[in-house]
């Protein structure tokens, strides 16, 4: 399905679908002639992105960054560190909530990230 038809079906503009593609929110295939070919999965992704934007009042760019944080343990770890600083969180061995270092995540942090990601995916699936 071409971009204009896909946009009408999802309830947005062709320009917004192209922008969503730039951000990595949808990834339509290309025809031999180079045209975007939106399939069912692309339409579902675009519709889901629109629902999330409305529900959480965020921009498409914010959604794209959220996806990056879900996929990249280093980004997720950095965001957790920022959240700890911004909200004054403390944890075991760190009663003052002061970060020990701002660097690459350790194995435990990566495991925490994967566990949280799996829980989010299970909530979305139910």
């Amino acid at each position: 399905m071409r971009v204009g038809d896909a946009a009408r079906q999802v309830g947005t503009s062709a320009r917004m679908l192209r922008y969503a593609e730039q951000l990595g929110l949808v990834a339509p295939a290309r025809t031999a002639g180079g045209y975007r070919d939106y399939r069912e999965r692309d339409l579902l992704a675009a519709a889901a992105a629109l629902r999330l934007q409305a529900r959480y009042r965020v921009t498409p760019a914010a959604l794209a960054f959220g996806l990056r944080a879900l996929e990249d343990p280093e980004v997720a770890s950095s965001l957790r560190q920022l959240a700890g600083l911004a909200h004054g969180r403390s944890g075991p061995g760190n009663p003052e909530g002061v970060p020990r270092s701002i660097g690459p995540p350790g194995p435990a942090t990566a495991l925490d990230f994967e566990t949280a990601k799996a829980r989010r995916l299970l909530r979305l699936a139910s």
Side-chain angles (χ1 to χ4, degrees), residues 72-78 80-81 100-110:
D72 187 335
E74 184 177 344
V75 174
S77 176
S78 297
R80 269 194 225 90
Q81 288 175 351
R100 289 182 200 92
S101 68
I102 305 289
T109 303

Side-chain angles (χ1 to χ4, degrees), residues 64-80 105 109-110 113-114 117 120:
F65 184 73
L67 288 177
R68 182 174 171 206
L70 289 173
E71 295 168 356
D72 187 335
E74 184 177 344
V75 174
S77 176
S78 297
L79 288 173
R80 269 194 225 90
T109 303
F113 169 76
E114 291 300 328
K117 181 171 79 171
R120 283 190 299 274

Side-chain angles (χ1 to χ4, degrees), residues 33-93:
Y35 292 100
R36 291 168 179 83
D37 185 18
Y38 287 85
R39 306 246 166 94
E40 185 68 23
R41 182 182 180 109
D42 302 309
L43 298 177
L44 291 171
L50 289 171
R51 282 192 308 273
L52 289 170
Q53 288 171 55
R55 181 176 181 182
Y56 297 108
R57 298 180 189 167
V58 296
T59 65
L63 285 180
F65 184 73
L67 288 177
R68 182 174 171 206
L70 289 173
E71 295 168 356
D72 187 335
E74 184 177 344
V75 174
S77 176
S78 297
L79 288 173
R80 269 194 225 90
Q81 288 175 351
L82 173 60
L85 291 170
H87 302 294
R89 292 188 190 138
S90 58

Side-chain angles (χ1 to χ4, degrees), residues 1-4 6 12-31 34-38 42 45-46 49 53 60-61 64 67:
M1 176 181 310
R2 294 268 177 96
V3 68
T12 191
S13 67
R15 183 175 178 178
M16 283 305 294
L17 273 184
R18 289 185 199 102
Y19 180 53
E21 181 185 4
Q22 275 185 309
L23 294 172
L25 298 175
V26 295
R30 297 284 181 151
T31 66
Y35 292 100
R36 291 168 179 83
D37 185 18
Y38 287 85
D42 302 309
Q53 288 171 55
L67 288 177

